[in-house]
Amino acid sequence: MVASIDNVRGLTLAMSSSAFIGSSFVIKKVGLKKAGDNGVRAASGGFSYLYEPLWWLGMITMILGEVANFAAYAFAPAVLVTPLGALSIIFSAVLAHFILKENLHMFGVVGCILCVVGSVGIVLHAPKERKIDSMKEIWHLATQPGFIVYSCVAVACVLFLIFRVVERSGHRLMLVYIAICSLMGSLTVISVKAVAIALKLSFNGSNQFIYVQTWFFIVVVTICCLVQLNYLNKALDSFNTAVVSPVYYVMFTILTIVANMIMYKDWASQTATQIATQLCGFVTIVAGTFLLHKTRDMGNPPLPDQVCLEEARERDPRSTNSSS
């Protein structure tokens, strides 16, 4: 399949976004370490990192990555852009290995290779971006019965989880928070893509901000992002990050691809072989992501508080049982 120019642009922007975002984590961590050496650590409630130029460089790098990711949706279908977000994990892991001296375990290397192989499979068989000439065309797609049903079901599920399930089971079941984030995230990507296309058309001379529909999508993006960030923070605060991140990535990506299939019909012009290859590529990326997260601490020296805990267990194993 011959890649279109828009797909190439979207691919370039998506990979640039992963590089910027992956690098930003490492740069900010270096800045946080330097700030902690000269003041109160952020984990202890300090804000000395606000005076550290490296931390701000990391923030700027992350913003550039998010802007590139936003622009990528204007040129390429979500089935190509969204899964490539996993590449940021590779950039972060590799840079941390060389800059922060955090050892990358052999299984972590295998995870990186799996992510690359899966990404190549998706890129080589990605569908061409649908040609859209105005916001009215996007609105027509968004008001089709299939997508209206999906949107209503997604919003109803989110409201049910927030008002009926979160209070009773949110602190015990990680999937409650992840489901809220993923459902809202799929609507976020749909709306972000609409706004990005509106910006692209406006820059080309056809102002799309004269339409109420454009501002409607902007409002949806704002609301969905706020809800998504709120419950993602709750998930990260309540559960292990090594489990939250890959599970969220998988559920978010699946729901985003499904939503885009329903609205933009990305796979309508593809053969069964091409679709199957993309699905295999996505599963390969998922496997690599889980492997990277599960083995990211292997080979690294334990933190001082972990050493003290282990020594306490060796001296008096019963103290651990009594504390639990």
Side-chain angles (χ1 to χ4, degrees):
M1 180 176 178
V2 180
S4 65
I5 295 177
D6 278 352
N7 270 21
V8 173
R9 290 172 178 168
L11 170 63
T12 303
L13 286 167
M15 293 188 67
S16 300
S17 170
S18 295
F20 280 125
I21 292 174
S23 303
S24 70
F25 289 113
V26 176
I27 296 172
K28 284 197 294 183
K29 188 163 185 177
V30 173
L32 287 170
K33 283 187 173 182
K34 290 189 65 176
D37 293 338
N38 301 321
V40 181
R41 293 181 57 192
S44 302
F47 296 95
S48 57
Y49 61 86
L50 294 175
Y51 301 98
E52 178 55 51
L54 275 176
W55 185 85
W56 284 106
L57 178 61
M59 283 298 298
I60 293 171
T61 306
M62 177 169 281
I63 292 171
L64 289 174
E66 294 296 345
V67 170
N69 188 58
F70 177 87
Y73 283 108
F75 295 99
V79 69
L80 171 62
V81 176
T82 305
L84 291 181
L87 294 180
S88 63
I89 301 174
I90 297 179
F91 284 104
S92 178
V94 173
L95 287 176
H97 177 75
F98 289 105
I99 297 177
L100 300 176
K101 306 305 179 184
E102 296 180 359
N103 294 329
L104 186 60
H105 194 268
M106 180 184 67
F107 290 118
V109 175
V110 174
C112 291
I113 294 173
L114 287 175
C115 287
V116 172
V117 171
S119 299
V120 170
I122 289 177
V123 169
L124 292 179
H125 297 86
K128 290 184 179 180
E129 172 70 341
R130 182 191 185 101
K131 183 174 175 56
I132 296 177
D133 297 320
S134 70
M135 177 55 67
K136 289 184 176 180
E137 188 176 347
I138 297 177
W139 187 252
H140 174 72
L141 294 172
T143 52
Q144 292 293 306
F147 187 70
I148 290 178
V149 170
Y150 175 84
S151 301
C152 291
V153 170
V155 172
C157 288
V158 167
L159 293 176
F160 174 76
L161 290 171
I162 290 175
F163 293 107
R164 295 296 298 274
V165 181
V166 165
E167 186 175 349
R168 292 182 300 175
S169 306
H171 62 285
R172 294 186 293 106
L173 300 176
M174 178 186 65
L175 286 178
V176 174
Y177 293 140
I178 298 299
I180 295 173
C181 295
S182 301
L183 287 165
M184 296 304 285
S186 66
L187 298 178
T188 301
V189 170
I190 290 288
S191 302
V192 162
K193 186 174 179 66
V195 175
I197 292 174
L199 281 170
K200 183 179 75 171
L201 293 173
S202 299
F203 284 134
N204 289 336
S206 177
N207 186 12
Q208 300 299 305
F209 288 87
I210 60 175
Y211 300 114
V212 177
Q213 292 90 331
T214 304
W215 296 101
F216 171 81
F217 282 117
I218 292 175
V219 171
V220 172
V221 169
T222 304
I223 295 174
C224 289
C225 282
L226 291 175
V227 175
Q228 193 177 344
L229 287 173
N230 179 39
Y231 285 95
L232 182 58
N233 286 333
K234 289 178 183 292
L236 292 172
D237 188 49
S238 305
F239 303 98
N240 191 337
T241 306
V243 179
V244 171
S245 296
V247 172
Y248 172 56
Y249 168 77
V250 172
M251 188 177 290
F252 165 73
T253 304
I254 289 174
L255 290 174
T256 297
I257 291 175
V258 169
N260 276 267
M261 283 173 56
I262 295 172
M263 178 170 168
Y264 292 103
K265 300 174 177 61
D266 289 335
W267 284 340
S269 61
Q270 289 201 294
T271 64
T273 302
Q274 292 170 330
I275 294 174
T277 304
Q278 290 176 62
L279 291 175
C280 289
F282 173 64
V283 172
T284 305
I285 292 176
V286 169
T289 302
F290 269 101
L291 199 57
L292 264 173
H293 275 279
K294 284 294 185 181
T295 62
R296 64 180 182 175
D297 292 328
M298 288 186 178
N300 291 321
L303 296 174
D305 54 345
Q306 293 175 324
V307 174
C308 294
L309 180 60
E310 291 298 327
E311 291 177 350
R313 285 175 177 173
E314 291 178 0
R315 288 195 300 268
D316 187 6
R318 292 173 297 176
S319 62
T320 305
N321 296 330
S322 61
S323 63
S324 59

